[in-house]
Amino acid sequence: MTRQRSSRPSASKGTPTRQPGKLRIIGGDFRRRQLPVLDRPGLRPTPDRVRETLFNWLGQQLYGQHVLDLFAGTGALGIEALSRGAAHVDFIERDNSVAAYITQNLATLGATRGQVTACDANTFLSQPPRLYHLVFLDPPFHQGLATSCCNALETLGWLAPDAMIYLETERSLDPTPPTNWQLHRETQAGESTARLYQRQTP
């Protein structure tokens, strides 16, 4: 991913112009559409291969589901879910500029079933809960957010009885999810590990 192109001409003809980063939608109604993404330190779009694997795991389960993309970043996971038939996706992103990019991309796609909220995950989870069938958790690495967010989702009442939870973390982390979350699938790519959990009713 690269920085946005400046509208000001380069001072040197020998300096290459950097192009905006692009997000490619893999499947569903928006398949092959490419969207601009904002360059930010630590912003890690889930790689195409991992997204393809994840949505193969999920299969046709997205139709009619309410989805939470809690650390939305580029919005790649939530937009992919909308493309594949999710009834509604809430995108939570604390960086106002990044959140604005997601909003812009949803408008470009005509994806009216997506809602972007610019706030941090803990602030969002402190609100009265609503039920989600699928949650994407891709928190910043090395900040200790994975386990605490998993526990908050479970104990504060955000999850439907048979909810699926996707968790992407640094490879070195061995998260401790709630005991009623059963590991359904797991894969590794680069420095990250992706896990998909199936919630069991306590």
Side-chain angles (χ1 to χ4, degrees), residues 62-195:
L62 276 71
Y63 284 92
Q65 292 202 348
H66 286 75
V67 179
L68 173 62
D69 194 349
L70 190 56
F71 297 89
T74 63
L77 295 175
I79 292 173
E80 198 78 50
L82 286 172
S83 182
R84 296 168 187 253
H88 183 83
V89 177
D90 281 314
F91 298 83
I92 312 304
E93 171 53 50
R94 68 180 180 180
D95 186 314
N96 289 331
S97 297
V98 177
Y101 252 69
I102 302 173
T103 299
Q104 175 184 311
N105 284 336
L106 292 175
T108 298
L109 295 170
T112 58
R113 304 188 313 276
Q115 176 67 44
V116 182
T117 301
C119 72
D120 65 59
N122 289 328
T123 298
F124 180 79
L125 293 176
S126 69
Q127 302 175 48
R130 66 206 74 163
L131 290 182
Y132 291 102
H133 305 97
L134 174 63
V135 177
F136 298 125
L137 287 176
D138 185 8
F141 286 178
H142 309 296
Q143 294 189 25
L145 294 169
T147 297
S148 62
C149 284
C150 288
N151 289 331
L153 287 166
E154 178 63 38
T155 60
L156 298 178
W158 289 92
L159 301 174
D162 57 349
M164 305 288 288
I165 305 95
Y166 169 79
L167 177 63
E168 186 175 334
T169 67
E170 61 269 34
R171 183 178 285 200
S172 60
L173 181 66
D174 185 13
T176 306
T179 56
N180 60 312
W181 291 15
Q182 180 179 349
L183 183 62
H184 181 62
R185 292 284 191 275
E186 180 175 353
T187 190
Q188 294 183 335
E191 297 303 314
S192 67
T193 299
R195 300 174 176 90

Side-chain angles (χ1 to χ4, degrees), residues 30-51:
F30 308 137
R31 185 180 181 185
R32 297 194 180 96
R33 295 287 296 272
Q34 293 195 24
L35 302 168
V37 294
L38 189 62
D39 185 38
R40 278 286 191 273
L43 192 63
R44 300 173 294 98
T46 299
D48 286 9
R49 182 175 69 81
V50 176
R51 273 189 288 138

